[in-house]
Amino acid sequence: QVQLVESGGGLVRPGGSLRLSCAVPGVIFRFRTMGWYRQVPGKERELVAAINIVGDTNYADSVKGRFTISRDNAKNTVYLQMNSLNPEDTAVYYCNTFPQRGDYWGQGTQVTVSS
């Protein structure tokens, strides 16, 4: 089983910023569209943003204009820059391929937006 490793979460005040990182095995990273997902307790996991191998991106409406997904092909890492955070962004954030694979889910990283 392959697990992707997320990092960079934490506690931030409304209006603040965080950058999440996800280290991905190269054999996966080089050929796959990557996505950031988030989950709130009691709700289904949702796709937040995705980026393909040539850098085209897509975002959920709720984060457009605030979040930016990027990938560093030299480091096999995908990032999620999150700006203008609000309490509704509080969730555990995960990275995975898009479409997701069940055997790639990692532990995620908690993001809490609170004053």
Side-chain angles (χ1 to χ4, degrees):
Q1 180 177 357
V2 174
Q3 285 194 338
L4 308 184
V5 181
E6 304 90 349
S7 62
L11 173 64
V12 63
R13 295 184 183 275
S17 298
L18 284 173
R19 188 175 84 150
L20 307 183
S21 300
C22 178
V24 185
V27 66
I28 298 170
F29 186 86
R30 282 191 290 272
F31 303 109
R32 304 295 297 274
T33 294
M34 297 302 303
W36 280 98
Y37 302 76
R38 66 185 181 187
Q39 188 169 26
V40 176
K43 294 188 177 182
E44 289 191 359
R45 202 168 301 183
E46 64 170 347
L47 178 68
V48 173
I51 184 167
N52 66 14
I53 60 174
V54 296
D56 299 322
T57 58
N58 278 291
Y59 298 92
D61 287 344
S62 59
V63 306
K64 279 181 182 176
R66 301 188 298 121
F67 289 11
T68 302
I69 188 171
S70 61
R71 60 194 293 159
D72 185 329
N73 293 333
K75 297 182 178 179
N76 295 336
T77 300
V78 60
Y79 302 99
L80 186 68
Q81 177 67 44
M82 305 186 296
N83 298 329
S84 302
L85 285 161
N86 59 61
E88 289 70 37
D89 296 316
T90 296
V92 179
Y93 285 72
Y94 303 85
C95 69
N96 202 320
T97 57
F98 178 80
Q100 61 185 270
R101 279 191 54 154
D103 55 345
Y104 287 173
W105 292 115
Q107 296 300 309
T109 186
Q110 175 71 48
V111 172
T112 302
V113 185
S114 175
S115 55

